[in-house]
Amino acid sequence: MSAFLNVNEIKEKVSLLSLLKNLGFSPQKQSGGEHFFLSMLREEYTASLCVNDDLGVWYDHGGAGVSGIRSGSIIDFGLAYWYPSTFPEVLGKILEYSKVELEKSSHLNDSVLARVQPVKVPSYKIEAINESIMKDALIAYLKSRQILSVAKNHLYELHYTVLDNKNRLRNFFASGWPNENGGWEVRNKYFKGCLGHKGMSFLKGAADKLCVFEGYFDFLSWRAHNPNDPSSVLVLNSLSFLQSAMVRAKQFSAIQVYFDHDKAGVSATQDFIINVSGSQDYSFKYARFKDYNEHLVAIKKSIENSPDSGLSLNGER
């Protein structure tokens, strides 16, 4: 039995993460709702293809492959991955590899093109930006991360709506900060992502000294320990910007690198030390912890549980 192919049904039922798994690809890193893959659309050595399965979108920070497509829905990915296959062929391959059955069977031929519904990538709209964190849920979250005290002038409260891949308008709020590409990095207890284009965040300070962080909450954790440090600060917001960060860092004579103690972070730190003169690995400041924020949370809890322990915020007696 033939019927027109419902593209929206494919977008609703087929997970891009599941499709990639069935194709033999695994994420190199996961950060909140974002999964980073080594791009299968071109050659690269740093995972920069980001998939957000909650929103049903992907973006290749390293650039487009031969197809010229670098972002969009699962169908846009198929068009890029199986380029130069035709649109109906790509839809058929998605169904074949995802192993998902639609409610109505479909004959994938050129006549489908005239009846297919347009692919609409989920969009967002920022409704309000508050300079102060007011929502109780966000205050509690930032307290749990021990960075509420340094949130002023560094974090904003964003209210935004998202049109998801089922065409439902959903309301959200989160703490957020701007990046250099005009986007907003947003984070709350349940979600970590970006509104708009991903990018690094730079805070201008001393002209000769730079502190480089993988994540913004690690920067804020460092700031809690170093409230008067005049250094300039560069936050990658994603390790996909490692190459760009190293270029920027070469403008400074002294660079302190504060990356995570995981495989990706250790590798990125090594690249920095090798390629940027004057850079030093400062992750020893949070030895035995994954990152600076995890260290800060542990120290604060230790102080609260043992008020007479004599520990300072730096873990020193």
Side-chain angles (χ1 to χ4, degrees):
M1 179 178 63
S2 63
F4 70 85
L5 186 63
N6 190 327
V7 175
N8 282 342
E9 189 181 353
I10 292 178
K11 290 170 60 183
E12 291 175 9
K13 288 191 173 183
V14 181
S15 160
L16 181 51
L17 285 181
S18 296
L19 176 63
L20 289 172
K21 179 180 179 181
N22 291 340
L23 289 170
F25 301 109
S26 300
Q28 301 293 301
K29 179 183 178 181
Q30 180 177 352
S31 181
E34 297 180 330
H35 301 256
F36 291 89
F37 293 78
L38 287 171
S39 180
M40 60 294 296
L41 306 179
R42 54 186 175 75
E43 184 177 358
E44 71 167 352
Y45 301 97
T46 302
S48 61
L49 189 145
C50 176
V51 174
N52 189 315
D53 217 34
D54 293 331
L55 296 180
V57 296
W58 64 280
Y59 183 81
D60 194 338
H61 295 282
V66 65
S67 70
I69 303 172
R70 66 182 298 180
S71 64
S73 69
I74 186 172
I75 297 176
D76 295 302
F77 172 82
L79 291 169
Y81 183 69
W82 284 296
Y83 179 85
S85 297
T86 66
F87 192 87
E89 289 172 343
V90 167
L91 298 181
K93 289 178 182 295
I94 291 175
L95 294 178
E96 175 187 353
Y97 283 94
S98 64
K99 300 178 175 62
V100 172
E101 293 185 2
L102 300 183
E103 293 180 1
K104 298 178 180 180
S105 61
S106 306
H107 289 295
L108 302 175
N109 51 54
D110 290 336
S111 65
V112 171
L113 289 173
R115 299 192 297 270
V116 131
Q117 298 181 25
V119 177
K120 187 173 183 180
V121 177
S123 59
Y124 72 93
K125 179 182 179 183
I126 296 177
E127 303 291 346
I129 301 174
N130 300 330
E131 293 186 359
S132 300
I133 303 295
M134 305 295 292
K135 282 284 189 179
D136 290 341
L138 292 180
I139 291 174
Y141 173 60
L142 297 178
K143 279 185 176 179
S144 73
R145 303 302 296 269
Q146 302 296 341
I147 55 175
L148 181 63
S149 63
V150 291
K152 186 177 181 181
N153 299 324
H154 293 302
L155 287 176
Y156 299 81
E157 181 177 290
L158 272 70
H159 294 254
Y160 59 98
T161 56
V162 173
L163 186 64
D164 67 15
N165 56 5
K166 295 183 180 180
N167 290 322
R168 298 174 304 187
L169 196 63
R170 305 176 65 185
N171 297 302
F172 297 96
F173 60 85
S175 61
W177 60 94
N179 64 45
E180 293 185 318
N181 289 336
W184 282 89
E185 310 291 332
V186 292
R187 194 163 183 178
N188 58 34
K189 183 178 180 179
Y190 306 102
F191 178 73
K192 177 182 179 182
C194 180
L195 303 179
H197 296 298
K198 289 285 291 183
M200 298 187 292
S201 298
F202 179 71
L203 290 80
K204 186 176 181 180
D208 59 339
K209 182 181 177 184
L210 177 71
C211 294
V212 186
F213 299 89
E214 187 174 334
Y216 202 78
F217 278 21
D218 293 319
F219 151 61
L220 292 177
S221 302
W222 170 85
R223 179 57 75 195
H225 282 173
N226 304 274
N228 300 314
D229 193 306
S231 301
S232 292
V233 171
L234 181 65
V235 181
L236 274 64
N237 292 318
S238 168
L239 281 179
S240 63
F241 294 110
L242 180 63
Q243 298 297 323
S244 298
M246 290 193 291
V247 172
R248 291 281 290 276
K250 290 179 180 179
Q251 303 173 23
F252 297 82
S253 58
I255 303 100
Q256 297 179 357
V257 181
Y258 298 86
F259 288 167
D260 291 0
H261 284 149
D262 57 15
K263 184 177 180 180
V266 170
S267 176
T269 299
Q270 293 173 345
D271 285 346
F272 233 98
I273 303 304
I274 292 172
N275 294 293
V276 182
S277 176
S279 59
Q280 293 181 289
D281 179 8
Y282 264 68
S283 66
F284 66 86
K285 292 285 188 178
Y286 40 95
R288 298 181 294 109
F289 296 94
K290 178 180 179 292
D291 55 37
Y292 211 133
N293 184 250
E294 187 177 285
H295 165 69
L296 176 64
V297 171
I299 293 300
K300 286 289 187 79
K301 286 183 178 179
S302 177
I303 293 174
E304 291 171 358
N305 295 333
S306 304
D308 298 325
S309 65
L311 286 175
S312 70
L313 286 180
N314 290 312
E316 300 170 346
R317 292 185 180 277

